Amino acid sequence: ITCILLFLFSCKGEELPFIGHHTVNPDTKETIYHKIQPISFVNQEKEAITEEYLHGKITIVDFFFSTCPTICPVMTNNMVKIQKEFLKDSTVMLLSLSVTPELDNPEVLRAYANDKGVIDAKWNVTTGDKKHIYELARKSYFAVVEQGDGNLQDFIHTPNFVLIDKKKRIRGIYNGTLDDEIKRLIDDINLLTK
């Protein structure tokens, strides 16, 4: 069966696409795919989370804030489903980045994680520098398309979940509020784990 791969979609039985720009090394002819930038956050346990956290892991990333009354509760419930699905697979991790880091300090994140059923060994709920988080969302994870500079007036509110492979490459972007997208994400995670 022939299928066409679009920018954000994959076909069952096919390799997942690589999201973002890529180049070809003229000497080796090797394709070099976009990789996410280094990260620096603090999680609900007041631990530093850096790019070492992602090393060798399949990671699902979302952007949220603890006081969000609209899409974030749905997204968090769907992250809980993913956490449950891959609870015993140590190669699959979850990473939530607060888009209101000035409000979501580690104590707030600890209470949020406790309330939502976050398992610390599987899921890091994080805060950090707003400009860093917003730059990552726009230029590294491609979770949002609108422009901004992470200043006081800037605000990101996206339903997107981003699937990162073990080599820090983006392999899919999914609407974290839709059940069929969560099913597709789970299928794609299973494809990456094989």
Side-chain angles (χ1 to χ4, degrees):
I1 297 174
T2 303
C3 57
I4 298 172
L5 291 178
L6 299 175
F7 184 66
L8 297 179
F9 297 93
S10 64
C11 300
K12 200 164 190 167
E14 295 288 330
E15 185 173 321
L16 295 176
F18 294 89
I19 308 298
H21 62 276
H22 65 276
T23 58
V24 176
N25 182 318
D27 297 325
T28 65
K29 307 299 183 209
E30 175 189 9
T31 302
I32 302 165
Y33 295 100
H34 169 82
K35 290 186 178 184
I36 60 164
Q37 296 170 6
I39 61 173
S40 179
F41 306 121
V42 175
N43 73 1
Q44 70 269 24
E45 297 184 273
K46 298 183 182 178
E47 296 173 336
I49 301 298
T50 66
E51 56 272 7
E52 286 304 311
Y53 165 76
L54 300 175
H55 183 72
K57 305 288 185 190
I58 296 166
T59 309
I60 300 85
V61 178
D62 76 331
F63 296 84
F64 83 107
F65 59 107
S66 65
T67 57
C68 171
T70 57
I71 63 173
C72 299
V74 177
M75 293 166 59
T76 299
N77 288 340
N78 284 330
M79 285 289 260
V80 169
K81 289 177 189 175
I82 296 165
Q83 175 182 249
K84 184 177 179 182
E85 183 76 22
F86 295 98
L87 190 57
K88 296 185 190 289
D89 188 337
S90 63
T91 66
V92 178
M93 300 296 287
L94 308 178
L95 177 64
S96 293
L97 311 179
S98 172
V99 297
T100 58
E102 66 281 1
L103 302 174
D104 289 334
N105 61 42
E107 291 78 16
V108 170
L109 296 179
R110 175 74 274 158
Y112 183 85
N114 290 345
D115 182 56
K116 302 301 181 186
V118 170
I119 297 171
D120 295 342
K122 176 61 68 178
W123 185 355
N124 284 287
V125 184
T126 66
T127 190
D129 177 73
K130 182 177 180 181
K131 285 185 182 280
H132 177 56
I133 293 167
Y134 279 48
E135 181 174 328
L136 286 171
R138 291 183 168 114
K139 297 179 181 174
S140 190
Y141 292 98
F142 308 126
V144 292
V145 294
E146 74 268 4
Q147 296 301 308
D149 59 6
N151 68 21
L152 188 61
Q153 306 304 319
D154 195 7
F155 185 66
I156 288 175
H157 201 214
T158 176
N160 290 331
F161 284 8
V162 182
L163 176 60
I164 311 295
D165 72 13
K166 293 178 180 182
K167 295 183 179 180
K168 303 179 189 174
R169 302 170 300 191
I170 302 172
R171 304 305 293 274
I173 300 175
Y174 312 79
N175 185 324
T177 66
L178 302 176
D179 289 340
D180 60 334
E181 286 282 281
I182 298 307
K183 182 184 181 315
R184 184 169 71 88
L185 171 55
I186 289 170
D187 289 345
D188 288 351
I189 295 168
N190 281 319
L191 194 58
L192 283 182
T193 61
K194 292 180 181 174

